[in-house]
Amino acid sequence: MACLHDHSCEDHDCSSDWSLYKHIDLDKVSALNEATTGTVKSVFKAWEHRLNTSGEHLESNEGDPELLVFIPFTSDVKIKSISIVGGADGTSPSKMRAFINRDGIDFSDAQSMQAIQEWDLAENMQGVLEYQTRYSKFQSVGNITLHFPDNFGGDTTKIHYIGLKGEATQLKRDVVATIVYELMPNPSDHKTRAETGGGFSHVE
Amino acid sequence: MVLEATMICIDNSEWMRNGDYSPSRFQAQADAVNLICGAKTQSNPENTVGVLIMAGKGVRVLVTPTSDLGKILACMHGLEVGGEMNLAAGIQVAQLALKHRQNKKQQQRIIVFAGSPVKHEKKMLEMIGRKLKKNSVALDIVNFGEDDEEKTEKLESLLAAVNNNDTSHIVHVPAGPNALSDVLISTPIFTGDGEGGSGFAAAAAAAAAGGVSGYDFGVDPNLDPELALALRVSMEEERARQEAAAKKAAEDTSKQGGEQQAGSQEASSQDATMTERASASTSEAENKTTDLMDDENALLQQALAMSMDEPAVGHDVKDTDMSEASVDDPELALALQLSVADSTKDQASQSEVLADQSAVSDILASLPGVDLNDPSIKDLLASMQNKSEPQKKNDDKSSNEEKK
């Protein structure tokens, strides 16, 4: 499901649309099967730099085109569409599968699990292709994992840019960290202030 | 301090009955495992360690990754030796156990003890290695026990397939007098990936290496702060005493225009003091001499006054300091005794103390690092003998006045 970017960019500012990269928690971004650890962070940049292939890019290991990219956000976001700029000579990824709000997915999980959405990608050297999402499913995304199982025949898979279009909400999807479960309530654990001879009552 | 989940794969095959590692290969392995568990949990309290066996009736997980050291040590107890090791299955089960770790933020690591021969094909091991690398699992291999070319080659190729940026290591431990755990302590398996290691590993390394550590005096201040402090204090006193003696000699000989001698005195005293300053230039020492002349004189006067045991001198002698020094340093006590025995007369006999060559040479002989045959020391002794008494008395009295 691809749609063409069928207007010239001088009319409106495309880069503001593709600004979800600002809400990515870059420190926690990770990738599996990347040749050099840490290069995955370089694919998240502004729209203007999407065709800039001179700097660092994400590359998979020799002879293995699979890539798995884990992208956490600093707040919940709604993702409207995704754009991928791959490498030349068959090193562009050919398929993309997305998983939402799942932590710690690895390749065996990715291969066996049902993705929330899958796309067939085309070689997007000009960076004009964007792939729309089923928006209703991408409403409150705390993190997204992108799995690229295959490429166009190259030895490795190269990705220069991953763009996300959508909106950021200010909400944070927080997992309740410390809960104490009680099988049987014990009154001594729940002393009220009056019992402890407490102080002044006050309204907060 | 890397947050890590580790699975240790133990080889409990028949080959582990061999006694070429003391007490037996299996025991040496168990000790090493205990040490690794301790090191990992100490370097980061949230680290988890799990254990599985590769031989016996089949690959079996004894403990899933946990931070509870007691559980791990308990499961090592009562293990039986037998069967054949299945390396490939062991690594794959370890990978599966790590996959289901509770804290997904932990890095994954597998430590394999490969004691018996490896019966898998090289290609298969490489495939396993690549799979580990793809899922960013690090692998440490301890190659001990059976030693053949093929095994080493296979394990090296496995490591090459897994290794991503030097996070994986292989250690070959030949049979010998050193225990397996001692050899492992100094390897990257214990010390982590170039972070400098945990305190546990460093301390254990210091203990094992028998004092060849980076600490002064070979004692870890963490392990024994009182001993380290006592050693340091005694060293300071020794240094002060030697500097006092050297400066006094320098002061005496400088009147004769013996700058050179003073320099050599400084040099010999520097050598005698076993400190890092041995590499400092003598000119720096001389500058220090002139700067600290007053302080040194004061110390010197106190030292001499104490040896004289003369209350009429009227200096503020710090009794406690000197008594401590004499307690700590039997050589100093001997020197004091000699000095006191030699001169029971009046104040002016300070010079006699110095002129008494036998006493001085005794004292100098007792100083560590001072060689009586050293020409500069011989010169000093000679000059002290030849020194005229009045000149010395003048020196002493003038420095007395300075002090007062």
Side-chain angles (χ1 to χ4, degrees):
Chain A
M1 296 204 343
C3 82
L4 276 175
H5 203 89
D6 56 0
H7 59 269
S8 61
C9 278
E10 286 101 32
D11 292 346
H12 73 269
D13 188 8
C14 277
S15 69
S16 61
D17 287 339
W18 295 93
S19 60
L20 266 188
Y21 73 95
K22 293 180 190 155
H23 298 272
I24 295 180
D25 195 349
L26 265 184
D27 288 334
K28 302 212 184 91
V29 169
S30 69
L32 285 184
N33 204 28
E34 55 178 343
T36 323
T37 327
T39 48
V40 61
K41 302 188 179 147
S42 62
V43 302
F44 301 105
K45 45 202 173 185
W47 174 253
E48 298 90 57
H49 303 128
R50 72 194 184 283
L51 297 177
N52 185 4
T53 54
S54 58
E56 272 195 343
H57 59 270
L58 174 61
E59 186 164 358
S60 69
N61 278 315
E62 281 286 318
D64 199 348
E66 268 192 276
L67 270 178
L68 198 65
V69 182
F70 173 70
I71 310 165
F73 296 98
T74 51
S75 63
D76 282 3
V77 299
K78 304 181 210 260
I79 302 181
K80 217 185 291 182
S81 57
I82 306 177
S83 173
I84 308 278
V85 175
D89 297 332
T91 56
S92 270
S94 57
K95 271 188 73 138
M96 177 165 73
R97 305 168 71 227
F99 305 88
I100 298 210
N101 293 333
R102 300 290 300 255
D103 238 359
I105 296 186
D106 70 352
F107 283 106
S108 48
D109 293 336
Q111 277 146 14
S112 52
M113 270 165 46
Q114 180 82 313
I116 204 155
Q117 193 168 354
E118 297 190 16
W119 295 264
D120 285 320
L121 307 179
E123 290 205 20
N124 185 14
M125 302 312 301
Q126 306 310 314
V128 294
L129 289 178
E130 58 182 86
Y131 304 94
Q132 281 190 328
T133 64
R134 279 188 211 118
Y135 201 41
S136 57
K137 303 221 172 117
F138 287 73
Q139 282 300 302
S140 71
V141 179
N143 58 62
I144 184 170
T145 308
L146 295 175
H147 176 219
F148 303 96
D150 215 352
N151 65 3
F152 286 101
D155 210 15
T156 65
T157 300
K158 290 195 192 129
I159 296 183
H160 292 284
Y161 171 73
I162 297 180
L164 301 167
K165 186 194 255 190
E167 337 176 319
T169 65
Q170 294 313 312
L171 307 167
K172 207 140 181 1
R173 168 179 243 269
D174 243 294
V175 176
V176 184
T178 49
I179 314 173
V180 177
Y181 293 98
E182 285 181 322
L183 273 180
M184 266 191 8
N186 188 350
S188 61
D189 287 339
H190 301 274
K191 281 199 166 25
T192 64
R193 196 178 263 166
E195 282 170 33
T196 55
F200 299 101
S201 69
H202 61 279
V203 179
E204 288 194 306
Chain B
M1 288 286 287
V2 184
L3 186 55
E4 229 177 26
T6 311
M7 275 303 287
I8 306 185
C9 303
I10 295 183
D11 181 2
N12 62 332
S13 60
E14 285 290 344
W15 279 267
M16 293 300 110
R17 288 191 203 274
N18 200 331
D20 52 359
Y21 295 77
S22 61
S24 78
R25 283 182 185 173
F26 184 69
Q27 256 318 109
Q29 206 187 168
D31 292 337
V33 170
N34 290 340
L35 252 141
I36 292 179
C37 294
K40 293 284 178 194
T41 43
Q42 221 194 33
S43 78
N44 186 332
E46 284 190 56
N47 278 352
T48 56
V49 183
V51 176
L52 65 78
I53 48 172
M54 292 193 286
K57 293 208 187 79
V59 176
R60 188 159 65 95
V61 175
L62 297 175
V63 186
T64 58
T66 170
S67 51
D68 183 1
L69 203 55
K71 217 196 246 185
I72 300 167
L73 297 179
C75 83
M76 293 290 302
H77 183 73
L79 276 182
E80 286 188 357
V81 177
E84 246 185 43
M85 169 179 86
N86 188 347
L87 184 64
I91 295 180
Q92 284 168 329
V93 171
Q95 194 187 349
L96 197 62
L98 284 173
K99 187 171 124 133
H100 294 289
R101 65 198 185 283
Q102 277 189 315
N103 184 358
K104 299 287 179 196
K105 293 201 178 73
Q106 289 167 327
Q107 302 280 338
Q108 304 173 68
R109 181 174 290 273
I110 300 178
I111 303 181
V112 172
F113 283 86
S116 42
V118 177
K119 62 179 193 254
H120 305 281
E121 289 297 321
K122 199 162 152 193
K123 275 220 171 51
M124 181 178 191
L125 292 177
E126 279 177 8
M127 214 164 62
I128 293 178
R130 274 196 295 271
K131 192 154 161 256
L132 287 177
K133 182 174 177 180
K134 192 165 165 181
N135 287 297
S136 87
V137 180
L139 178 68
D140 289 334
I141 308 175
V142 180
N143 180 13
F144 72 112
E146 293 298 307
D147 187 17
D148 54 63
E149 273 300 315
E150 227 186 37
K151 179 190 182 203
T152 312
E153 208 185 297
K154 286 179 182 172
L155 291 177
E156 291 277 0
S157 71
L158 171 61
L159 182 86
V162 178
N163 203 356
N164 179 11
N165 231 16
D166 270 341
T167 50
S168 303
H169 317 94
I170 184 168
V171 182
H172 305 277
V173 187
N178 301 328
L180 183 62
S181 9
D182 290 342
V183 175
L184 285 181
I185 278 176
S186 53
T187 60
I189 294 181
F190 257 89
T191 59
D193 296 327
E195 291 166 354
S198 62
F200 180 97
V212 183
S213 60
Y215 302 113
D216 296 332
F217 322 121
V219 173
D220 180 3
N222 293 329
L223 284 179
D224 201 344
E226 288 148 0
L227 179 57
L229 181 66
L231 286 171
R232 200 176 340 127
V233 167
S234 138
M235 174 61 73
E236 295 292 342
E237 285 169 2
E238 177 77 19
R239 203 191 306 168
R241 186 165 62 83
Q242 286 174 355
E243 274 176 19
K247 258 109 194 166
K248 184 152 194 9
E251 186 196 313
D252 294 338
T253 56
S254 67
K255 287 292 191 298
Q256 293 182 341
E259 275 268 327
Q260 231 175 352
Q261 254 179 337
S264 64
Q265 288 315 308
E266 290 304 325
S268 62
S269 72
Q270 291 276 7
D271 291 336
T273 58
M274 303 167 280
T275 62
E276 308 84 78
R277 283 194 328 133
S279 59
S281 61
T282 51
S283 56
E284 181 196 310
E286 281 168 1
N287 287 341
K288 266 191 168 182
T289 307
T290 45
D291 289 342
L292 303 171
M293 190 63 92
D294 290 350
D295 293 344
E296 295 302 340
N297 278 340
L299 267 176
L300 181 57
Q301 290 314 308
Q302 285 170 23
L304 291 171
M306 286 306 292
S307 66
M308 294 320 304
D309 205 14
E310 273 283 323
V313 172
H315 294 296
D316 280 344
V317 287
K318 297 191 177 84
D319 291 331
T320 48
D321 277 351
M322 288 313 291
S323 57
E324 268 178 5
S326 55
V327 164
D328 284 348
D329 200 350
E331 291 164 335
L332 181 55
L334 175 64
L336 292 175
Q337 261 186 326
L338 283 173
S339 322
V340 170
D342 284 339
S343 52
T344 52
K345 288 135 202 145
D346 57 0
Q347 220 173 343
S349 58
Q350 278 180 14
S351 47
E352 276 185 21
V353 177
L354 295 163
D356 192 338
Q357 182 158 16
S358 59
V360 171
S361 48
D362 278 350
I363 294 172
L364 284 179
S366 66
L367 289 178
V370 173
D371 185 9
L372 273 181
N373 296 327
D374 197 359
S376 48
I377 303 234
K378 278 192 167 166
D379 285 346
L380 166 65
L381 292 174
S383 69
M384 287 206 296
Q385 282 255 255
N386 298 337
K387 190 71 64 70
S388 57
E389 291 227 351
Q391 201 177 14
K392 271 198 163 180
K393 280 187 189 169
N394 284 341
D395 286 347
D396 293 338
K397 291 222 168 93
S398 64
S399 46
N400 279 351
E401 272 152 51
E402 261 183 64
K403 163 70 166 128
K404 284 177 184 164

